[in-house]
Amino acid sequence: MITKTLPLLVLLAVCLVRVDGSCFGTDASWNPGSKPIVSQPSKNDPTKVMVDWTSIIKNSKCVDKYFLWIWPDGTQKTSPSTQKIELAKGTTSKIVDVEPCVAYRYFVELEETEMRSTNKLTSETLFKSAAIAKVINLDKTKFSVGYHWDPVKQVSDLRMASISFPKSLVQYPSCLDYIQVTGAEVRAKKSLSRQSSTASMDGAVAWGHLGNTYNPSISVGSASTLPSGISFAGGSSSPSMSRGSSPPRGPLAGTYSSGSTGSLQSQRSTSSAGGSPFGPIEKPLYANTLPRATSKGATQKSGPVKVQPPFLKPMIEILIAARDCAEFNFE
């Protein structure tokens, strides 16, 4: 009884192996050097293309599945923009969505499972659909202008302006020949207002941390750690020059206030706050201010700068050189 059952089990095992693949003893393959045919089915819809490999496949019944690969030309096949579409074994064409006027690379991979998995690839086809770009709405509030951020150095480049806007403002933006930007420096208007200086030198100085025994003045013979007193005109130990004795000079001399006729001595005060071992601390007073100097010479031009498609990112960015701390108008 046992000897009669064993051959039957072996026969069933062989039959299972034979039906595992799509066919037995024959392999699917591509015509040598062949590549899929890519076309735009409708001129009115540049967002769709058809990929067809009907005429280049051999023994299509032996194929278990297909993979259609699509990625933008100029990028890596491993980039996030790459599409890998799995298709059933009976499929020999596929309509896919693309971005108009962007060149894509296409190839088809077949997988055949017969005892072991075998994958074979076609050559690549380069194709881009055709369309005409159209400006939808160039809303200026959608534009952003600022300094260019250097992702490598992790700093803002103050010599490079960055102009960016959503590519959705233009229908089929990659169908444009180019986008051009030109910049013109804006002449700063002369301001007649003057603002007093906000600089301060009257902060309190504390010496308590030095201890009671600290004495900065050490003398050995005729040498001393502190400078000797400075004598001013007339033998005084403090300045007594009046403004009249030394009038302001230079191209901006006329901008000085004429109301201050007192002596420089009257504009200074001293204090000994904090108990300075160095003597009285001078508290300066600021009587005059100067207006900001206006720029002279010809205004600078920047550009024109042209950027060409494809525009693969959601935002279109244009970089243009611009002098730092200057105001520009871009168009």
Side-chain angles (χ1 to χ4, degrees), residues 7-88:
L8 180 60
L9 293 176
V10 173
L11 179 60
L12 290 174
V14 172
C15 291
L16 289 175
V17 171
R18 293 184 63 180
V19 298
D20 185 55
S22 297
C23 56
F24 181 75
T26 306
D27 293 331
S29 62
W30 304 105
N31 291 332
S34 61
K35 52 188 177 182
I37 299 173
V38 185
S39 60
Q40 181 178 332
S42 173
K43 293 182 179 180
N44 297 326
D45 189 0
T47 65
K48 298 185 183 298
V49 298
M50 174 180 283
V51 185
D52 189 288
W53 56 94
T54 305
S55 60
I56 63 174
I57 183 67
K58 290 182 178 181
N59 299 321
S60 60
K61 63 180 180 179
C62 299
V63 177
D64 289 292
K65 67 178 67 173
Y66 292 100
F67 296 100
L68 175 58
W69 290 79
I70 308 170
W71 72 97
D73 185 36
T75 64
Q76 298 293 327
K77 193 174 67 172
T78 55
S79 66
S81 57
T82 299
Q83 301 181 57
K84 183 182 180 182
I85 306 172
E86 181 177 338
L87 302 170

Side-chain angles (χ1 to χ4, degrees), residues 232-296:
F232 294 89
S236 172
S237 61
S238 61
S240 60
M241 294 185 298
S242 65
R243 179 172 297 281
S245 62
S246 180
R249 300 175 182 176
L252 297 177
T255 64
Y256 278 88
S257 172
S258 59
S260 299
T261 57
S263 65
L264 187 61
Q265 172 65 19
S266 64
Q267 299 181 34
R268 296 172 180 258
S269 64
T270 59
S271 66
S272 57
S276 169
F278 298 100
I281 302 174
E282 183 179 295
K283 179 181 178 181
L285 298 177
Y286 300 93
N288 300 300
T289 59
L290 291 174
R292 181 183 295 276
T294 57
S295 57
K296 296 181 179 180

